[in-house]
Amino acid sequence: PARELTAMVYPLFEYSLIVYLILDFVTTLLANRRGELSAWFWKFSKAAFAINLFLCAQFRMIFVCIAYEKVKQHTAGFLGLQIALILIAVQNSLFLVHTKVSYEFLGGIHNTRNVIRAYLTGLLAISLVKVTATIYVVGNGWGAPWTMKD
C-alpha cells in the first residue's frame, strides 16, 4: 500500500514542479524580450526547459519500475530528477547574474555574485558525487562500492 499511497500523492509534487518550470520559463522569456539576457543564455534556457520538462515527467517511472524488480530502470527515474534539479539550480543562478540581481542584505552585487559562486561550487561538488553514484546504479544494477557499508 505504501507504493500506491505515494503514487496518489506524487502528482501534487510533479504538477507543482512542472508548473514551476513553465512559470520560470515565462519569466526567462520576458527577461529575454526586455533585452536582459545574452543570446547563449537564452539558448541554454530553452534547451534546459525542454530537458527539465522531459526528465521531470519521466520521474513517475519510479512507480512503474519497482525497485526490487528493475533496479536500473527505477533508479534512472531518480537520476533524471537529480539532473533536472541541478539544471534548474544552475539556470536560476545564471539568471540572477545575467539580470544583475543584487541583494542589499548580502552587501550589494559583488557579494551577491560571491554567494552565487559559493552556492554553485558546493552544489556542483556535492552533485558530482551523488550523480556519479546514481549513474553507477543505473549502469550496473547495484550500488557503487564506495557507497556500500562493509
Side-chain angles (χ1 to χ4, degrees):
R3 188 170 135 239
E4 289 81 5
L5 290 173
T6 303
M8 290 170 53
V9 174
Y10 170 72
L12 296 173
F13 167 75
E14 178 186 18
Y15 299 152
S16 298
L17 183 56
I18 290 174
V19 166
Y20 170 79
L21 290 173
I22 292 167
L23 294 176
D24 190 50
F25 184 75
V26 169
T27 301
T28 306
L29 171 69
L30 294 173
N32 185 60
R33 288 188 178 168
R34 288 190 301 266
E36 297 175 0
L37 305 177
S38 64
W40 78 264
F41 183 74
W42 174 235
K43 287 178 186 174
F44 168 74
S45 294
K46 290 188 290 187
F49 174 68
I51 292 166
N52 288 338
L53 203 57
F54 174 77
L55 293 175
C56 289
Q58 293 304 306
F59 180 67
R60 68 179 42 224
M61 293 305 291
I62 67 167
F63 300 109
V64 176
C65 303
I66 301 171
Y68 52 84
E69 292 177 359
K70 298 179 179 179
V71 175
K72 293 179 181 184
Q73 294 91 335
H74 180 80
T75 308
F78 285 103
L79 177 61
L81 185 64
Q82 283 178 315
I83 292 169
L85 293 175
I86 293 165
L87 274 174
I88 291 166
V90 169
Q91 181 185 3
N92 286 346
S93 297
L94 293 176
F95 182 84
L96 294 176
V97 171
H98 273 78
T99 55
K100 298 175 177 58
V101 170
S102 174
Y103 293 107
E104 288 307 315
F105 72 90
L106 293 175
I109 196 160
H110 178 73
N111 286 344
T112 300
R113 296 232 170 131
N114 285 338
V115 168
I116 291 170
R117 279 188 212 97
Y119 169 71
L120 286 175
T121 300
L123 170 82
L124 295 174
I126 292 168
S127 295
L128 174 68
V129 175
K130 289 171 38 179
V131 168
T132 301
T134 307
I135 289 171
Y136 189 94
V137 174
V138 171
N140 297 291
W142 58 83
W146 68 90
T147 65
M148 306 300 274
K149 190 174 181 179
D150 291 332

